[in-house]
């Protein structure tokens, strides 16, 4: 039995033992995989009549709110005391699509202090081994892994069309519509199962990709036309976005989703970096093609991490300083790409 199977077996026993409240937490700035997995897992507990709560440290973007159970998610920004109470009372806390409590923003100290069993279900490298960990970096998404966890604990029969839709949302969005991280046959077996279990693929595509506002297209158009810079010497594209531009184009959470992938469609570009100015910090998103570990770059200089081809980070300095830092560290990154990245960096 492998390690994940052992933890799943232990978890199954624990779930059958006592009555408990469940808290489910996605990562900060939740994406389709984080929200899809929360939606599907909550639906298990709703069917079993177990008390459950989805808690977020910030907000679920508008375009994912159609998913089942997500309208009930509570943000720490709106109800901090209620969130603290639910975390303190929880018997089990599920940490979905992230590998450490550090990715839970303002919820982190309360989750760290909780007496609950903490279970990570995730596909990022280096999960926090102090928790119960169900993790696999080979899968396309947390949703793909969660499908297997749910099947092993409760059986496929518990998966209804709403859960199939939520799980597919995570698989689809984390792979850029099945373009990257999706070369394993298993991913398509899961999708085939989900179709048999009632997945409405056309509906999900419509909800995720065909609900844009004109202002979002204008925002993206402006960035691509006026802001995209391609480095003269290295295969790197950089897109800085100011707070003023976000306001000008009526930015809403999720409006920049997917933008960072577009420069990778330029034939010679293998790294794309989006640098977005927010009220309190500057957020970086890294994407790459092939064996180019941008998570090393994010980790070494930008307080971040992530996957080989998709990583992120943040800085508390000005947008200009972050742009400067990115430009200054380009040669470092490409030198190490040749010589290898040591663990200390
Ligand atoms: P995104 O660019 O979509 O925000 O993030 C891409 C990937 O990098 C995601 O899988 C996410 O988990 C990871 N990531 C984003 N921001 C951070 C961060 O600040 N720290 C770490 N460790 N990972 C991050
Ligand atoms: Mn994910």
């Amino acid at each position: 039995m492998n390690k994940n199977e052992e933890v799943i077996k232990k978890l199954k026993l624990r779930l059958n033992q006592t009555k408990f409240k469940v808290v489910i937490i996605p990562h900060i700035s939740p994406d389709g995989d984080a929200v899809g997995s929360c939606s599907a897992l909550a639906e298990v507990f709703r069917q079993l009549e177990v008390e459950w709560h989805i808690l977020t440290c910030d907000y679920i973007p508008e375009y994912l709110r159609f998913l089942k159970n997500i309208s009930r998610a509570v943000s720490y920004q709106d109800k901090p005391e209620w969130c603290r109470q639910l975390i303190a009372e929880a018997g089990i806390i599920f940490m979905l699509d992230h590998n450490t409590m550090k990715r839970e923003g303002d919820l982190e100290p309360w989750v760290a202090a909780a007496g609950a069993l903490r279970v990570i279900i995730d596909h990022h490298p280096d999960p926090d081994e102090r928790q119960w960990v169900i993790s696999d970096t080979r899968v396309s998404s947390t949703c793909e892994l969660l499908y297997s966890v749910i099947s092993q604990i409760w059986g496929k029969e518990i998966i209804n069309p709403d859960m199939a839709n939520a799980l597919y949302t995570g698989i689809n969005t984390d792979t850029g519509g099945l373009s990257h991280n999706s070369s394993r046959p298993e991913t398509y077996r899961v999708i085939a199962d989900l179709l048999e279990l009632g997945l409405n693929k056309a509906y999900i595509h419509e909800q995720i990709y065909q609900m844009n506002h004109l202002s979002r297209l204008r925002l993206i158009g402006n960035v691509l036309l006026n802001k995209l810079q391609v480095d003269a010497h290295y295969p790197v594209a950089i897109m800085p976005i100011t707070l003023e531009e976000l306001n000008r184009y009526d930015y809403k959470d999720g409006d920049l989703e997917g933008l960072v992938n577009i420069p990778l469609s330029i034939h010679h570009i293998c790294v794309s970096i989006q640098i977005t100015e927010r009220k309190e910090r500057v957020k970086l998103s890294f994407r790459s093609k092939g064996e180019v570990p941008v998570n090393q770059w994010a980790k070494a200089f930008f307080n971040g991490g992530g996957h080989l081809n998709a990583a992120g980070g943040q800085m508390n300095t000005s947008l200009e300083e972050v742009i400067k830092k990115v430009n200054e560290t380009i040669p470092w990154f490409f030198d190490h790409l040749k010589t290898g990245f040591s663990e200390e960096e």
Side-chain angles (χ1 to χ4, degrees):
M1 202 186 299
N2 70 31
K3 204 169 150 274
N4 279 348
E5 284 168 351
E6 272 172 36
V7 178
I8 291 169
K9 206 171 141 201
K10 275 201 305 188
L11 181 61
K12 187 174 177 178
L13 279 173
R14 180 66 75 94
L15 286 162
N16 286 329
Q17 268 167 6
T18 44
K19 247 185 114 56
F20 49 81
K21 294 180 191 177
V22 168
V23 160
I24 303 171
I25 303 179
H27 56 74
I28 187 167
S29 306
D31 59 5
D33 193 27
V35 180
S37 52
C38 289
S39 163
L41 189 60
E43 183 59 13
V44 170
F45 293 114
R46 195 196 62 76
Q47 290 186 51
L48 298 173
E49 298 182 355
V50 170
E51 183 177 333
W52 60 270
H53 301 273
I54 297 172
L55 306 186
T56 61
C57 62
D58 46 8
Y59 293 99
I60 305 225
E62 182 74 36
Y63 77 104
L64 294 167
R65 294 206 194 132
F66 73 97
L67 289 168
K68 183 85 185 280
N69 304 316
I70 291 305
S71 60
R72 264 194 51 186
V74 181
S75 168
Y76 187 83
Q77 304 310 318
D78 296 336
K79 297 187 174 169
E81 273 166 37
W82 179 228
C83 288
R84 292 203 282 265
Q85 185 184 331
L86 291 172
I87 290 169
E89 288 172 2
I92 304 188
I93 298 175
F94 285 96
M95 301 164 54
L96 299 187
D97 198 33
H98 56 291
N99 54 4
T100 156
M101 290 182 276
K102 291 199 188 87
R103 303 267 299 135
E104 296 177 355
D106 293 341
L107 292 172
E108 179 192 352
W110 311 103
V111 173
L117 169 65
R118 286 177 294 246
V119 181
I120 291 176
I121 304 179
D122 183 41
H123 65 135
H124 293 89
D126 307 321
D128 179 356
E129 294 294 343
R130 293 168 304 173
Q131 326 304 340
W132 284 21
V133 173
I134 301 169
S135 171
D136 190 343
T137 54
R138 295 166 309 166
V139 297
S140 64
S141 53
T142 295
C143 280
E144 181 182 333
L145 180 61
L146 182 61
Y147 170 81
S148 138
V149 175
I150 292 174
S151 305
Q152 288 177 63
I153 297 181
W154 296 283
K156 275 186 204 174
E157 310 72 52
I158 200 163
I159 299 178
N160 61 21
D162 287 322
M163 288 166 72
N165 285 343
L167 293 171
Y168 178 72
T169 296
I171 297 174
N172 183 284
T173 55
D174 249 27
T175 57
L178 297 171
S179 69
H180 50 80
N181 269 352
S182 49
S183 296
R184 293 164 69 247
E186 287 82 352
T187 306
Y188 298 87
R189 293 202 180 95
V190 171
I191 295 172
D193 284 358
L194 293 176
L195 284 165
E196 282 174 353
L197 292 161
L199 160 62
N200 187 341
K201 195 164 157 286
Y203 169 71
I204 295 303
H205 278 251
E206 194 183 310
Q207 291 299 317
I208 298 176
Y209 300 113
Q210 296 173 340
M211 288 292 184
N212 279 330
H213 296 282
L214 180 59
S215 58
R216 178 182 183 216
L217 265 65
R218 298 269 193 243
L219 170 64
I220 291 175
N222 172 59
V223 174
L224 293 176
L225 182 63
N226 300 315
K227 307 305 298 286
L228 173 63
Q229 303 159 13
V230 170
D231 193 272
H233 306 289
Y234 293 92
V236 178
I238 298 174
M239 294 183 290
I241 305 170
T242 65
L243 201 53
E244 186 278 320
E245 284 164 320
L246 296 182
N247 292 333
R248 196 192 319 156
Y249 294 103
D250 190 25
Y251 171 81
K252 288 176 284 312
D253 282 347
D255 276 359
L256 292 172
E257 199 66 41
L259 172 62
V260 63
N261 295 306
I262 296 177
L264 290 181
S265 67
I266 304 172
H267 62 97
H268 75 286
I269 293 297
C270 56
V271 176
S272 168
I273 309 173
Q274 180 183 313
I275 312 170
T276 316
E277 184 182 28
R278 304 290 181 150
K279 276 198 201 94
E280 289 105 24
R281 66 204 163 107
V282 176
K283 166 89 184 88
L284 295 100
S285 277
F286 294 76
R287 296 293 184 275
S288 68
K289 304 195 277 224
E291 290 295 313
V292 178
V294 277
N295 50 356
Q296 299 283 357
W297 197 349
K299 195 165 124 191
F301 296 102
F302 303 102
N303 310 305
H307 308 276
L308 182 89
N309 296 129
Q314 60 254 303
M315 299 288 274
N316 289 323
T317 53
S318 70
L319 181 67
E320 286 67 33
E321 281 171 63
V322 180
I323 298 169
K324 193 161 158 260
K325 184 101 182 168
V326 168
N327 282 314
E328 280 170 4
T329 54
I330 292 176
W332 172 91
F333 181 69
F334 283 90
D335 284 349
H336 282 73
L337 199 55
K338 285 193 218 120
T339 57
F341 293 89
S342 67
E343 272 310 301
E344 304 84 71
E345 277 157 347

